């Protein structure tokens, strides 16, 4: 199963990549694809929306924090109404 989760980058200041990764991999493990970027200090977000939609349509589950980021960016509105399983 594939999840969309945050992968930490940066040493002193937390910066995160949003990645599609296998559930059995650890947080810093090898990802399938990088699909976004999140900086909580500067409150910047970059999302590769076509890649995110590709993984969501094939059953990838976002973690809670990634789901909040995607809701704020209104990514779920681009999915078909019958595919939105996320609250």
């Amino acid at each position: 199963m594939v999840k969309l989760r945050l992968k930490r980058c940066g040493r002193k200041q937390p910066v995160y990549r949003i990645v599609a990764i296998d559930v059995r991999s650890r947080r810093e493990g090898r990802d399938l694809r990088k699909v976004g970027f999140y900086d909580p200090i500067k409150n910047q977000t970059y999302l590769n929306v076509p890649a995110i939609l590709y993984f969501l349509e094939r059953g990838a589950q976002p973690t809670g924090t990634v789901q909040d980021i995607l809701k704020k960016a209104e990514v779920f509105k681009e999915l078909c109404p019958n595919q939105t399983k996320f609250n």
Side-chain angles (χ1 to χ4, degrees):
M1 182 175 171
V2 176
K3 280 206 173 220
L4 296 175
R5 75 166 78 143
L6 295 175
K7 184 175 183 179
R8 185 172 172 150
C9 303
R11 292 187 178 185
K12 295 184 180 181
Q13 298 170 343
V15 176
Y16 299 94
R17 285 189 181 138
I18 301 171
V19 297
I21 194 167
D22 188 24
V23 174
R24 296 168 289 186
S25 297
R26 57 185 191 192
R27 183 185 75 180
E28 303 302 325
R30 186 171 181 192
D31 51 57
L32 299 173
R33 185 166 180 192
K34 297 173 184 72
V35 295
F37 173 82
Y38 174 61
D39 186 354
I41 296 173
K42 296 179 183 175
N43 202 13
Q44 292 179 338
T45 305
Y46 166 76
L47 299 173
N48 185 352
V49 177
I52 292 171
L53 292 176
Y54 172 83
F55 283 107
L56 289 175
E57 288 171 354
R58 281 157 182 75
Q61 297 293 317
T63 60
T65 308
V66 173
Q67 186 172 349
D68 292 341
I69 293 169
L70 296 179
K71 276 185 186 176
K72 190 183 288 186
E74 299 179 351
V75 172
F76 293 121
K77 290 184 179 179
E78 297 182 28
L79 281 174
C80 295
N82 58 356
Q83 291 183 352
T84 52
K85 299 180 265 188
F86 313 107
N87 294 330

